[in-house]
Amino acid sequence: MLNSRVTTVALRKGVRAATRWGTRPQNRGLLTLAIETSCDDTSVAIVEKNTESPAHPTTIHFLENVTADTREYQGIHPILALYSHQENMAKLVQKALPYLPFAPENATPHNSVALSDDARMRRKPDFVSSTRGPGMRSNLFVGLDTGKALSVAWQIPFLGVHHMQAHLLTPRLVSSLSRDAGSNNAISSSSTITPEFPFLSILVSGGHSMLVNSSSVTDHTVMASSTDIAIGECLDKSAREILPKETIQASKSTMYGKALEQFAFPNGSADYADYRPPTTRTEEIAKRPTQYGWYLTPPFANTRDLEFSFSSIASKVKRIVAQKAELTGQEMSHEERAFLARETMRVSFEHLASRTVIALESLRRVNPCGEQVKTLVISGGVAANRFLMTVFRSFLDVRGFGHVEVVAPPPYLCTDNAAMIAWAGIEMFERGWRSDLSCRVLRKWSLDPQAEDGGVLGPPGWQKV
């Protein structure tokens, strides 16, 4: 059997133990079982939006991730990730079912399900939601086909979810989660801000770097994207060069970007409390020689084009480490490695923030008297980086956008997870959207309706009720 990492969110600090969830009758809300298998995380969630209780609108009854262990390859291995999905998908669904809320006393078999270890009936979900794309085709099929099979078995609707749409909507889930500390439904949250349309999103992960202007649940304009590699890939590649070999070998995952942050800032926020953002574009693109004789150049320093680029940063980091060994015959010191790690993140994050400011300025010029963007959502795996949040907040403050709120999900909802798929499914379901059972996975799938594939609603298989 493959070695995998298991994360049960119901057992995390700030969330009640999983065995206590669903132990009392629930007010009827919109309930979904959700599945995520786009990459190397197999994830299942049960999420309920309680439309009758505004004070406690949403509950995550169950959320668990199993991540394929591909440390031997120092990165994602598509075949091993597929095997992990195949081994763990059915077991996770089986584990989730006892966390379905109890059905009302007068429930009929049509709207409830009998579980062998329960004296009472459990509610059937109102629909099943699974990631349809974008992602690895074979991996997506494991989750999509499982979701369709459950919808047929339960005779309930099915909804195929856009993975990146789910990421950008996640802060709306977070703001809707129950927070009553005395309730079994309590869940901690880093933010209570609900992003209202229109809002901007920075979607940053190992496979994506894009700036999106969202005017509704299904209308998303991609204002900028990477011309080469994603920022997550840049940080992972840089980490493999910067981190000491023993740190790489001791890592419990291939999330080297996360290890890079911990290596650069071992004391957390205290280590970057003195960060000062460039107050002008001139200061931003100026060379910053270091005491070690090298420096990192900001990408696209001579343009204001709405584009991202990160390959040059990763390449320069590799050259700096190699040249150090060639010139001195010795490996880089721990102190210099930590400094290079901090500079790599600073330049990468300031590049993101710089292009975001350019986008905000362009929106203000186009519509000076109209509704302005009030919220910037940062989501995706890289959004778990706390230094990134510091850079963005500081950058916006000194560039005239201090009124724009910066919102990111808590770390466990930044990485790929089925709870975000559940929430995106709920938002689409509430607007009348369903997926035909004939729908197939989409390896590539744009967010933007102006794209060749038509964006979220472009591919065939949608039904409106």
Side-chain angles (χ1 to χ4, degrees), residues 194-463:
T194 301
E196 301 293 346
F197 299 107
F199 62 85
L200 286 185
S201 296
I202 285 282
L203 302 180
V204 280
S205 67
H208 299 276
S209 298
M210 62 178 73
L211 175 63
V212 182
N213 184 12
S214 299
S215 55
S216 75
V217 168
T218 57
D219 293 324
H220 311 282
T221 300
V222 177
M223 300 187 70
S225 60
S226 178
T227 60
D228 38 62
I229 64 175
I231 185 173
E233 183 178 348
C234 168
L235 295 178
D236 284 345
K237 285 183 173 181
S238 299
R240 285 193 284 268
E241 300 294 332
I242 296 171
L243 296 176
K245 292 180 181 178
E246 56 270 22
T247 302
I248 293 285
Q249 293 170 351
S251 177
K252 295 182 179 179
S253 74
T254 58
M255 299 173 64
Y256 300 123
K258 180 179 180 180
L260 189 70
E261 179 189 9
Q262 294 169 344
F263 179 74
F265 305 111
N267 300 311
S269 60
D271 284 341
Y272 48 77
D274 59 348
Y275 169 74
R276 296 294 180 268
T279 57
T280 64
R281 175 69 174 161
T282 301
E283 183 182 348
E284 174 193 327
I285 64 177
K287 295 179 181 179
R288 298 192 190 183
T290 68
Q291 65 266 39
Y292 301 105
W294 50 258
Y295 59 88
L296 295 178
T297 303
F300 295 158
N302 298 319
T303 78
R304 289 177 58 87
D305 297 339
L306 279 176
E307 294 178 320
F308 299 125
S309 174
F310 298 98
S311 62
S312 62
I313 298 175
S315 297
K316 185 61 180 292
V317 167
K318 185 175 182 177
R319 286 198 301 273
I320 290 172
V321 175
Q323 288 172 357
K324 183 73 175 183
E326 291 174 1
L327 293 174
T328 66
Q330 298 177 347
E331 289 193 356
M332 192 176 277
S333 68
H334 184 282
E335 291 74 16
E336 187 174 356
R337 287 179 184 274
F339 190 86
L340 180 55
R342 291 192 291 272
E343 279 295 280
T344 300
M345 285 185 282
R346 179 190 65 79
V347 173
S348 298
F349 297 161
E350 286 186 354
H351 178 49
L352 283 174
S354 170
R355 263 41 197 182
T356 302
V357 166
I358 292 172
L360 286 167
E361 290 172 344
S362 67
L363 290 173
R364 187 164 57 187
R365 286 195 301 270
V366 170
N367 192 19
C369 300
E371 186 176 10
Q372 297 297 312
V373 170
K374 299 177 182 178
T375 307
L376 173 67
V377 167
I378 304 179
S379 195
V382 182
N385 189 304
R386 296 299 91 185
F387 183 50
L388 170 64
M389 299 299 294
T390 297
V391 169
F392 260 91
R393 181 67 277 162
S394 303
F395 217 95
L396 293 178
D397 285 345
V398 300
R399 294 297 185 88
F401 293 96
H403 63 283
V404 176
E405 297 283 357
V406 180
V407 181
Y412 78 95
L413 290 177
C414 287
T415 54
D416 294 348
N417 66 89
M420 72 178 193
I421 302 303
W423 179 259
I426 287 172
E427 293 235 37
M428 293 292 286
F429 194 88
E430 287 179 324
R431 288 158 179 79
W433 292 107
R434 313 287 187 268
S435 294
D436 189 89
L437 291 175
S438 65
C439 71
R440 297 173 60 85
V441 302
L442 298 165
R443 186 176 67 86
K444 295 183 178 181
W445 188 5
S446 174
L447 278 168
D448 198 322
Q450 299 302 314
E452 186 176 348
D453 64 3
V456 173
L457 298 177
W462 285 114
Q463 298 175 338

Side-chain angles (χ1 to χ4, degrees), residues 20 101 171-172 188 191 259 291 344:
R20 297 182 61 187
R172 291 168 62 86
S188 62
S191 175
Q291 65 266 39
T344 300

Side-chain angles (χ1 to χ4, degrees), residues 15-17 20-24 59 180-187:
V15 185
R16 301 289 182 177
R20 297 182 61 187
W21 290 65
T23 56
R24 61 187 179 90
T59 300
D180 182 358
S183 166
N184 286 348
N185 294 333
I187 187 166

